[in-house]
Amino acid sequence: MVWWTLALAAVQGRSSAQGQKKNADAANRAQKRFERLNAQFANVDLMQSYVAISARRLQERDVLARSLEEVTLDATRRIGAVSVSAGESGLHGNTQAALVRDFKIAQLKSQTAIMDTEKYMQEQYARDVAAARTQRDSRILMGQQQRVQGPNYMQIFVDSATSYMQMQSQ
């Protein structure tokens, strides 16, 4: 009877260990699949963010290029108008040159401001791209879960021994 009781406790312990291992393996496979899908979706979101950021950047560059062109055309028109007016009125010399110089200075200031804006927008673009990457990485890390531990053989042994002892006492 002692051997049968011991054998029964051992079989129960082995069965418990196999069940725990099977459950842990299934849970870990499910977690890995979830993490893989989460990473795929995070990468898709990152690509969509890149597309949106790049599209916005192209639109901003287009607006800046048009602004630069408008400043140049405006200065050219003003300089031309001053030259024509000066020629018609008979003005020559320092007055005309001072007006042309003032228009060119205003043009350069406007162009410099536009170029500074371009530089700031480029820096913002780099920050937006870095933020999109960080968001992707954060999403992937947040989706990772602690692995399910396999069977605790020491606990199974203690449970089997306890079961054996209980069977012996009956």
Side-chain angles (χ1 to χ4, degrees), residues 20 24 28 146-151:
Q20 288 178 14
N28 285 332
Q146 185 176 3
R147 297 289 178 244
V148 176
Q149 297 299 317

Side-chain angles (χ1 to χ4, degrees), residues 58-89:
L58 288 173
Q59 291 170 348
E60 290 169 350
R61 276 189 168 171
D62 192 37
V63 168
L64 289 176
R66 276 189 260 128
S67 296
L68 201 55
E69 187 177 322
E70 287 174 15
V71 165
T72 302
L73 287 174
D74 184 53
T76 303
R77 275 190 232 118
R78 288 175 186 244
I79 290 170
V82 165
S83 297
V84 169
S85 296
E88 288 177 354
S89 65

Side-chain angles (χ1 to χ4, degrees), residues 8 10 12 16 22-23 35 42 46 53 62 70 84 89 96 149:
L8 181 60
Q12 285 176 339
S16 176
K22 183 179 175 184
N23 290 340
E35 289 172 3
L46 177 66
I53 291 168
D62 192 37
E70 287 174 15
V84 169
S89 65
Q96 179 186 0
Q149 297 299 317

Side-chain angles (χ1 to χ4, degrees), residues 19-33 148:
Q20 288 178 14
K21 182 167 178 16
K22 183 179 175 184
N23 290 340
D25 289 345
N28 285 332
R29 278 193 305 274
Q31 283 179 353
K32 285 181 183 178
R33 183 169 186 262
V148 176

Side-chain angles (χ1 to χ4, degrees), residues 5 9 15 20 70 78-79 88 95 106 112 119 125 131 134 141 149-150 153 157:
T5 307
S15 175
Q20 288 178 14
E70 287 174 15
R78 288 175 186 244
I79 290 170
E88 288 177 354
T95 306
T112 302
K119 181 179 127 192
Y125 174 76
T134 301
L141 289 174
Q149 297 299 317
Y153 294 106
F157 173 74

Side-chain angles (χ1 to χ4, degrees), residues 92-164:
H92 296 289
N94 290 338
T95 306
Q96 179 186 0
L99 284 172
V100 169
R101 186 183 68 243
D102 288 346
F103 287 137
K104 287 190 177 191
I105 288 172
Q107 176 189 7
L108 288 174
K109 285 181 180 179
S110 296
Q111 288 173 337
T112 302
I114 291 170
M115 297 309 277
D116 286 345
T117 302
E118 165 69 20
K119 181 179 127 192
Y120 298 138
M121 286 181 169
Q122 183 63 32
E123 291 169 356
Q124 182 61 42
Y125 174 76
R127 285 190 294 272
D128 290 346
V129 168
R133 284 188 194 125
T134 301
Q135 185 177 15
R136 186 249 346 238
D137 294 346
S138 174
R139 179 176 174 179
I140 290 171
L141 289 174
M142 293 288 286
Q144 292 179 349
Q145 300 174 0
Q146 185 176 3
R147 297 289 178 244
V148 176
Q149 297 299 317
N152 182 341
Y153 294 106
M154 182 56 86
Q155 185 63 43
I156 292 170
F157 173 74
V158 169
D159 291 344
S160 297
T162 303
S163 177
Y164 170 74

